[in-house]
Amino acid sequence: MKKLAAIFTIFILISVFSYLGWRTIEHEVVMRQTHVKMLAESRGNNIKSMIESLLNQRSVYLNKLAQFINADQAKADNLQRTESDIKNIFIIKNHKLAYLTNNSDSQWSKIIDSIQYDNSILINNNTQSEQYRPESGWYQVYDHLIYWSTFSGTIVGFEISQINFALEVVNLFDDQSLTDDFTLFNNDKLIYTHGDQNADNVMFVLDYPLQNWQLTYYYQQPSLVNLYLLGCAIIVFLVIVIISLISYWYREYTRALRLARQQVSFVGQVSHEFKTPLTNISLYSEMLKEHLKDEPPPVADYIEVISSESKRLTRLVQNILSFNKSAKLNIKPVNLTELIQQIYTTFKPVLATKSLQLNLLLDQHNPCIINTDADSVMQIVNNFLSNAEKYAAQGKQVDLSLNHKDCQVTISVRDYGNGIADHLLKQIFKPFYRIKSSITEGVSGTGIGLTIANQLAEQLHGTIQVTNCQPGVAFTLVLTE
């Protein structure tokens, strides 16, 4: 079941990664397409600006001609003969027609009559603001393109040849040697075409009075096949890398797990073989204590050390044998005061051999009695003291304390050694984990003592707290009544 869950998780991870990679490729494709389109729009606007700039130049020139003519009919006749771009000229003074060329054209005459009776049509076609009244501008109606200027109530207007203007636009494009692909139409009449016509294009409508002119700019989208191929290749490569890393991590994990199991199995088998000789050692050390109790020191002290060390070794073996196994609890009223005194008596000579003074801090007059498992509590506190003996000998003393407040009981072992780094306080409860530092060099250990202690504390519905005390560290078993 766990393997199926792991495979499913890996599949989801790879699917999500592939999806995000594909979305990244699509985003890059859209960005490139948008960039090409924006470039085409910019180029098309440049061409549109060239045409409108040419018309503005014509406006400046015609405005000067209008100032030159003003209301002089003779100058108007001369200008009509010399300027080939000007088809017709009209002059309206004080709403009365003062001069008109080509009055035989009925459509042209009607247009001028409309301007004569209501010259506001010129303004309305040149601006969208009713408050702004320009003095010159363009007016287009039907096929007639008119530029007009007003001076003190006199309106001078010129009809320019759209054919000649279109030829000027063509000459302008030819002089510029453009490399763009585009077409220019006036309604349905083709004015100019250049390059190839593609499916991808941007259309522009010129500003008034050339609103009938339409510019179509053609562009070609870049080939995205290589981008898709490259993106897919990168995704496949990264997926292979991820799978390889996951496979490597899985192999390392299974190897470490297999090695850990082998260690536990081996240590368990060896520890089981130790039980019988340790039992014999303990038995015969007790017998020696009985027979040699009258012997002068240091014989009795040596026998006491042999007895206490054999008992401690028995406890260590029992710790290993009980690793990853739920202990059978014997919950009953336990006098923790007596239990802690017993532990103190057992460990005091052991710590003394390492020049460690064991201090007992408890209230002997008010016994602390709660329902718990005495063996589990003893094993946890023994582990705390054993670690203090191993790793905090330079502190010279260890405090063993029992406190009972409200419904909470705390049993604490505090040493005065070098302590433990804060970021390692949670790591020390992991199986087979040992801190790599100068205080652990040359000290033997399996790295499962605190793991077992933590398991026992959880079975007792308690917790183990680790606190840096500067100097030293305090391990505290917290139980509730």
Side-chain angles (χ1 to χ4, degrees):
M1 191 66 182
K2 291 183 179 180
K3 289 185 177 180
L4 289 176
I7 293 173
F8 180 74
T9 303
I10 294 172
F11 174 76
I12 293 296
L13 176 64
I14 293 176
S15 299
V16 171
F17 179 81
S18 301
Y19 172 76
L20 293 176
W22 183 257
R23 292 291 295 173
T24 302
I25 295 174
E26 289 184 336
H27 176 72
E28 181 65 23
V29 168
V30 172
M31 288 291 292
R32 293 194 180 189
Q33 291 175 339
T34 304
H35 175 73
V36 172
K37 185 176 180 180
M38 290 177 63
L39 182 61
E41 290 176 349
S42 176
R43 295 291 300 171
N45 279 317
N46 288 339
I47 296 175
K48 175 173 173 286
S49 298
M50 291 170 60
I51 300 173
E52 293 172 348
S53 176
L54 186 63
L55 187 66
N56 291 334
Q57 294 176 11
R58 179 57 61 89
S59 299
V60 174
Y61 177 68
L62 292 176
N63 190 57
K64 290 182 179 179
L65 291 179
Q67 293 176 358
F68 172 73
I69 293 175
N70 201 345
D72 193 331
Q73 299 181 7
K75 291 181 179 180
D77 288 335
N78 184 56
L79 189 64
Q80 174 72 22
R81 289 191 300 270
T82 57
E83 292 289 337
S84 60
D85 291 344
I86 299 177
K87 292 177 62 177
N88 292 299
I89 302 175
F90 71 87
I91 301 174
I92 299 175
K93 189 171 183 179
N94 297 324
H95 297 283
K96 292 183 179 180
L97 184 63
Y99 179 81
L100 177 67
T101 62
N102 194 16
N103 51 15
S104 61
D105 187 342
S106 59
Q107 188 180 62
W108 169 248
S109 299
K110 289 180 180 180
I111 294 172
I112 301 305
D113 289 341
S114 300
I115 298 174
Q116 176 184 350
Y117 290 117
D118 184 13
N119 56 27
S120 65
I121 61 176
L122 300 177
I123 298 172
N124 292 337
N125 280 273
N126 193 60
T127 179
Q128 296 185 10
S129 174
E130 295 181 358
Q131 298 178 354
Y132 175 69
R133 302 183 67 82
E135 296 181 351
S136 62
W138 292 95
Y139 176 66
Q140 185 179 38
V141 57
Y142 303 116
D143 291 332
H144 300 274
L145 182 59
I146 300 171
Y147 181 82
W148 59 271
S149 294
T150 178
F151 308 96
S152 301
T154 301
I155 300 175
V156 179
F158 304 99
E159 180 189 7
I160 69 170
S161 172
Q162 294 196 50
I163 296 177
N164 289 345
F165 181 72
L167 289 174
E168 288 186 18
V169 171
V170 172
N171 292 332
L172 175 65
F173 290 155
D174 290 339
D175 293 340
Q176 293 291 330
S177 301
L178 299 176
T179 59
D180 306 89
D181 301 332
F182 66 95
T183 57
L184 182 64
F185 281 86
N186 181 5
N187 288 327
D188 56 348
K189 298 177 183 178
L190 178 63
I191 297 177
Y192 190 80
T193 181
H194 187 272
D196 300 326
Q197 299 181 13
N198 303 313
D200 299 312
N201 60 78
V202 183
M203 299 183 67
F204 303 87
V205 176
L206 273 67
D207 296 336
Y208 184 85
L210 302 179
Q211 70 274 13
N212 294 328
W213 288 38
Q214 186 180 64
L215 172 67
T216 304
Y217 190 93
Y218 300 95
Y219 64 95
Q220 189 171 4
Q221 287 286 3
S223 178
L224 302 174
V225 176
N226 294 334
L227 179 61
Y228 276 110
L229 292 177
L230 178 62
C232 291
I234 293 175
I235 292 176
V236 171
F237 173 75
L238 292 177
V239 168
I240 292 175
V241 171
I242 291 174
I243 294 176
S244 301
L245 290 175
I246 292 175
S247 300
Y248 171 76
W249 290 332
Y250 178 74
R251 286 196 304 268
E252 288 298 311
Y253 171 75
T254 53
R255 185 184 68 82
L257 184 61
R258 185 170 59 252
L259 181 61
R261 288 174 177 173
Q262 290 175 354
Q263 289 176 342
V264 172
S265 177
F266 173 76
V267 173
Q269 293 175 6
V270 173
S271 299
H272 189 272
E273 294 298 325
F274 284 171
K275 289 185 67 178
T276 300
L278 283 173
T279 302
N280 292 334
I281 293 173
S282 298
L283 176 62
Y284 281 101
S285 64
E286 293 296 328
M287 292 173 63
L288 281 173
K289 286 174 63 177
E290 280 296 322
H291 287 84
L292 302 176
K293 60 182 179 180
D294 296 330
E295 289 290 325
V299 175
D301 295 336
Y302 292 163
I303 294 175
E304 182 64 33
V305 171
I306 293 173
S307 177
S308 61
E309 287 296 308
S310 62
K311 290 178 181 179
R312 189 164 70 91
L313 188 56
T314 301
R315 290 193 300 270
L316 292 175
V317 171
Q318 187 61 39
N319 284 348
I320 297 173
L321 292 176
S322 61
F323 179 60
N324 277 340
K325 293 181 182 179
S326 297
K328 295 181 180 179
L329 301 180
N330 182 18
I331 303 298
K332 62 180 182 180
V334 177
N335 189 331
L336 291 181
T337 303
E338 292 183 356
L339 182 64
I340 297 302
Q341 286 178 332
Q342 179 184 346
I343 295 173
Y344 168 76
T345 303
T346 302
F347 265 88
K348 184 176 182 180
V350 176
L351 296 180
T353 59
K354 297 290 184 69
S355 299
L356 281 168
Q357 179 182 346
L358 181 59
N359 303 317
L360 180 62
L361 307 173
L362 52 77
D363 187 358
Q364 297 181 354
H365 300 291
N366 295 310
C368 175
I369 302 175
I370 65 170
N371 290 324
T372 187
D373 180 66
D375 291 338
S376 297
V377 174
M378 180 178 290
Q379 189 170 350
I380 294 171
V381 178
N382 287 347
N383 181 268
F384 293 167
L385 290 169
S386 179
N387 286 339
E389 173 202 349
K390 290 180 181 179
Y391 307 116
Q394 71 276 15
K396 300 302 180 182
Q397 65 176 346
V398 176
D399 296 336
L400 173 61
S401 61
L402 170 65
N403 292 296
H404 186 193
K405 185 177 181 181
D406 297 331
C407 296
Q408 192 174 74
V409 177
T410 58
I411 304 172
S412 179
V413 174
R414 188 250 171 112
D415 64 59
Y416 293 82
N418 293 330
I420 302 173
D422 290 336
H423 67 281
L424 298 176
L425 293 180
K426 292 183 179 180
Q427 304 289 332
I428 58 178
F429 292 99
K430 292 182 178 180
F432 303 105
Y433 180 84
R434 300 192 69 205
I435 298 174
K436 295 180 179 179
S437 67
S438 59
I439 64 174
T440 60
E441 291 181 0
V443 180
S444 61
T446 59
I448 62 174
L450 285 174
T451 305
I452 296 171
N454 195 44
Q455 292 174 353
L456 292 174
E458 290 177 354
Q459 292 181 38
L460 295 175
H461 303 291
T463 58
I464 294 178
Q465 299 176 355
V466 188
T467 308
N468 274 318
C469 298
Q470 303 300 328
V473 63
F475 285 83
T476 303
L477 172 63
V478 182
L479 300 174
T480 54
E481 295 187 37

